[in-house]
Amino acid sequence: MTSAVLKCCPVDVTVNRSLSTGKLHRVELLLQTKLAPGTLDVLLSKSFLCAPAVGVSNMIAKLAKTCTLRISPDKLNFILSDKLASGGVSMWCELEQENFFSEFQMEGISAANNEIYLELTSENLSRALKTAQNARALKIKLTNKHYPCLTVSIELLSVSSSSRIVTHDIPVKVIPRRLWKDLQEPTVPDSDVSIYLPVLKTMKSVVEKMKNISNHLIIEANLNGELNLKIETELVCVTTHFKDLGNPPLASENASQARNPEQMAEVHIDIRKLLQFLAGQQANPTKAVCNIVNNKIVHFDLLHEDVSLQYFIPALS
């Protein structure tokens, strides 16, 4: 197995806080790793929007215990790649770097492999960034403390105006290049029905109540803007109806030629996986679409301002 040897960074991440605005406005981060047989040097230098980043890290922590952070020249991705065929969910969260940073420099192994992949525990990153919300200064560096980790040093002001330093060591695993092929953006299957979702808080409230009845849920929708959430057991059948949700125009045009608008497409899923997805949404997104491949998979496509999220839940076998 390919090993990774990490060097302590000579350059720290430094964030200065403006006393007038209270906003973090400067970050410089240097990551240096050596991967056999190639070498990967990554340099990130940006003005960092801390509040949106905290929201993203909180959302990811609710969706996945561990995830992969992919750093490329134009995007940051949080990836969960469980095998859909084995009943696992998959996630692809994308942040355009230009929406979060004002300066950005990166150099990978080569022009053709200009990326870096780190595996980490989502909650560790979320906790560290929560601490940094009221920081006077923030420093991050990639270190090797018997294991590779991101060391986050946060300078906080006390009541007496003196400062104290809080340090977080976030263990990470540098993923070798031969495994990158398993961490690419998932292919979105051609759906039978695409429909806009209702308010996610309302949907979450309904699903939470249904979870007390069954662990299985049926999601069905048609091209007339109707979506149903159904529980069917030997003792009871419960259905919640949502109407007039609307369908994405392009999806409706492509499907309407061969599909009756009244006909439902459905998928049976694990209700706990849907509830986990809904619990991770801190605010209603600006766009939320549900794509159903009949009896195979449900694909959620959400846009939260500058962050896009794709989430895949397979049908129960």
Side-chain angles (χ1 to χ4, degrees), residues 124-132 138-141 143 145 149-154 156 165-171:
N124 291 342
L125 178 62
S126 176
R127 288 175 179 172
L129 289 180
K130 283 180 183 177
T131 309
L138 169 67
K139 296 181 180 180
I140 304 175
K141 57 184 177 181
T143 59
K145 300 184 176 181
C149 64
L150 287 175
T151 297
V152 182
S153 298
I154 302 162
L156 300 172
I165 303 296
V166 177
T167 301
H168 300 266
D169 289 328
I170 303 175

Side-chain angles (χ1 to χ4, degrees), residues 213-231:
I213 303 173
S214 174
N215 288 330
H216 299 167
L217 175 74
I218 301 172
I219 299 180
E220 61 178 16
N222 62 21
L223 295 175
N224 273 349
E226 299 172 334
L227 182 143
N228 299 328
L229 304 178
K230 297 170 60 175
I231 292 289

Side-chain angles (χ1 to χ4, degrees), residues 197-303:
L197 286 171
V199 175
L200 296 187
K201 287 184 178 180
T202 301
M203 190 173 173
K204 176 174 175 285
S205 178
V206 170
V207 175
E208 282 178 333
K209 293 180 174 63
M210 288 183 161
K211 182 178 176 293
N212 297 325
I213 303 173
S214 174
N215 288 330
H216 299 167
L217 175 74
I218 301 172
I219 299 180
E220 61 178 16
N222 62 21
L223 295 175
N224 273 349
E226 299 172 334
L227 182 143
N228 299 328
L229 304 178
K230 297 170 60 175
I231 292 289
E232 293 180 349
T233 70
E234 295 180 355
L235 300 177
V236 66
C237 178
V238 179
T239 304
T240 299
H241 303 273
F242 297 93
K243 296 183 178 182
D244 302 320
L245 296 175
N247 304 89
L250 183 59
S252 299
E253 291 172 5
N254 293 340
S256 61
Q257 298 178 2
R259 188 176 188 86
N260 183 342
E262 299 285 345
Q263 183 182 359
M264 290 286 182
E266 68 175 40
V267 60
H268 296 234
I269 62 172
D270 187 330
I271 195 170
R272 294 166 295 184
K273 294 176 181 177
L274 176 60
L275 191 58
Q276 183 181 30
F277 163 73
L278 295 172
Q281 309 311 308
Q282 304 295 311
N284 214 44
T286 55
K287 184 193 79 170
V289 174
C290 173
N291 302 304
I292 297 176
V293 181
N294 202 45
N295 296 320
K296 291 185 178 180
I297 194 171
V298 59
H299 164 232
F300 297 100
D301 187 4
L302 274 58
L303 178 65

Side-chain angles (χ1 to χ4, degrees), residues 35-82:
L35 293 174
T39 300
L40 178 62
D41 295 315
V42 178
L43 171 63
L44 304 178
S45 178
K46 281 283 197 170
S47 294
F48 192 62
L49 302 179
C50 194
V54 171
V56 173
S57 65
N58 289 343
M59 178 177 66
I60 299 302
K62 290 182 179 294
L63 294 176
K65 182 177 180 180
T66 61
C67 70
T68 299
L69 173 61
R70 171 181 176 265
I71 304 171
S72 65
D74 57 347
K75 296 175 183 177
L76 301 178
N77 296 102
F78 291 95
I79 306 167
L80 174 63
S81 185
D82 288 345

Side-chain angles (χ1 to χ4, degrees), residues 31 67-69 71 116-120 150 172-175:
L31 305 178
C67 70
T68 299
L69 173 61
I71 304 171
I116 182 171
Y117 291 76
L118 300 174
E119 183 179 293
L120 51 82
L150 287 175
V172 297
K173 176 184 177 182
V174 181
I175 300 176

